[in-house]
Amino acid sequence: QVQLAESGGGLVQAGGSLRLSCAASGRTFSSIGMGWFRQAPGKEREFVAAITWNGGMIYIDAAVKGRFTISRDNAKNTVHLQMNSLKPEDTAVYYCAAHSGGSYLKRESFGSWGQGTQVTVSS
């Protein structure tokens, strides 16, 4: 099982940028699809972006398409979420997760989760 740790969250003004990173432990990282989800207070955890093991397929939620980019570096066991043009509605705890099977768009398809990193966007 892969262990995940997010970093890079913080407080930023609307229109600003942040780059989240997720460091993974385990030899199988390079063969695992990865995803980012977020959860705002009082809301369900929702899909943000995902990337297959080799980066061949990328999935981006419509709410962040054109603003967020997902990438991975298998040599460094990391996956990144570049977030540009941030909006107050992007405020949430962001989680990275390892894909375990099924649709990349569904939370239940991911079996290992990090502890999350807070992103707060002020207006």
Side-chain angles (χ1 to χ4, degrees), residues 16-21 36 60 64 66-71 79-86:
S17 297
L18 282 173
R19 188 188 194 213
L20 304 185
S21 296
W36 286 96
I60 304 287
V64 304
R67 301 188 296 121
F68 290 14
T69 304
I70 187 171
S71 62
V79 61
H80 302 286
L81 185 69
Q82 178 66 43
M83 306 186 296
N84 300 327
S85 302
L86 282 161

Side-chain angles (χ1 to χ4, degrees), residues 98-109:
H99 186 246
S100 54
S103 169
Y104 275 86
L105 307 184
K106 296 184 177 181
R107 185 177 58 185
E108 54 264 32
S109 298

Side-chain angles (χ1 to χ4, degrees), residues 10-81:
L11 174 64
V12 63
Q13 288 188 333
S17 297
L18 282 173
R19 188 188 194 213
L20 304 185
S21 296
C22 175
S25 63
R27 295 178 298 171
T28 59
F29 175 81
S30 61
S31 64
I32 300 173
M34 296 295 296
W36 286 96
F37 289 74
R38 66 185 181 185
Q39 187 166 17
K43 294 189 177 181
E44 295 284 325
R45 191 171 299 187
E46 63 180 12
F47 170 80
V48 176
I51 186 168
T52 53
W53 67 276
N54 62 351
M57 290 293 292
I58 288 175
Y59 307 87
I60 304 287
D61 185 74
V64 304
K65 196 169 186 177
R67 301 188 296 121
F68 290 14
T69 304
I70 187 171
S71 62
R72 66 187 298 158
D73 184 341
N74 285 347
K76 296 182 178 179
N77 278 18
T78 57
V79 61
H80 302 286
L81 185 69

